[in-house]
Amino acid sequence: EIGVRLVGSEMCIRDRLSTSSLWVANKIIQPNQTRVAILPIRFELSEQTEIANNYERVLQDLIIKSEKLKLLSTSVMVNNMDKPFPSLNQEYSIRWIVEGQLNSYNNTTKLTLSLVDARTALVVFSLTSDDNSSNENLLHLCQTFIQQISVPRN
């Protein structure tokens, strides 16, 4: 049995909590933190594997460092890829899912990042790098994206 007393409140939560309901209880305890999951970045060319992995790590690090966002384990997302987004929202209390895609055009790489509502699977926000993006510009795109999704949304 796990008991949690909310600071400044008479309310007490006492229940046997399963793993998924721990996420729900944590949402009550930390209401200002939004849960985010990252899907693996899609890419067209096999030589983009390392680039995609690097940007996934950048996004993960930025979310982890954010005070308002919490990152769902990547292994949970990979193991649940066959589940529709709304069930992930219910099971893990995820609010947003980040999707990314790398595209190559004339020796340049474009990175597109999209914010997906985990309740509806609708894209609500997207950013795409310029055609002449350097590695530094792509990193800046990741930072800008995380700053934007840190802003509370309905």
Side-chain angles (χ1 to χ4, degrees), residues 103-119:
N103 295 307
S104 294
Y105 303 102
N106 299 330
N107 292 332
T108 61
T109 300
K110 268 189 165 183
L111 176 62
T112 300
L113 298 173
S114 299
L115 183 65
V116 179
D117 186 328
R119 298 176 295 190

Side-chain angles (χ1 to χ4, degrees), residues 26-153:
N26 195 32
K27 181 127 180 118
I28 294 168
I29 296 166
Q30 298 177 333
N32 296 330
Q33 294 182 331
T34 302
R35 284 166 183 74
V36 179
I38 299 175
L39 290 176
I41 293 178
R42 296 182 314 269
F43 50 89
E44 299 170 333
L45 307 172
S46 59
E47 56 267 12
Q48 292 176 324
T49 303
E50 187 176 335
I51 297 169
N53 291 339
N54 287 340
Y55 288 116
E56 284 175 33
R57 281 191 293 274
V58 167
L59 289 167
Q60 290 169 355
D61 288 346
L62 291 168
I63 290 171
I64 289 168
K65 289 177 184 174
S66 169
E67 292 179 10
K68 296 183 179 187
L69 302 175
K70 287 293 183 188
L71 179 64
L72 182 69
S73 166
T74 305
S75 62
V76 169
M77 283 305 293
V78 170
N79 291 333
N80 289 285
M81 293 291 281
D82 58 336
K83 288 188 178 179
F85 289 171
S87 77
L88 291 172
N89 168 268
Q90 290 173 348
E91 190 171 346
Y92 297 105
S93 205
I94 299 169
R95 180 64 185 100
W96 302 111
I97 296 173
V98 176
E99 291 182 327
Q101 180 156 352
L102 285 170
N103 295 307
S104 294
Y105 303 102
N106 299 330
N107 292 332
T108 61
T109 300
K110 268 189 165 183
L111 176 62
T112 300
L113 298 173
S114 299
L115 183 65
V116 179
D117 186 328
R119 298 176 295 190
T120 63
L122 296 174
V123 175
V124 296
F125 177 73
S126 186
L127 279 179
T128 301
S129 62
D130 295 331
D131 283 335
N132 59 356
S133 290
S134 65
N135 192 43
E136 185 176 300
N137 288 343
L138 292 176
L139 290 173
H140 180 58
L141 178 82
C142 291
Q143 292 168 333
T144 302
F145 185 82
I146 297 302
Q147 288 170 352
Q148 289 292 319
I149 71 170
S150 295
V151 175
R153 297 172 189 270

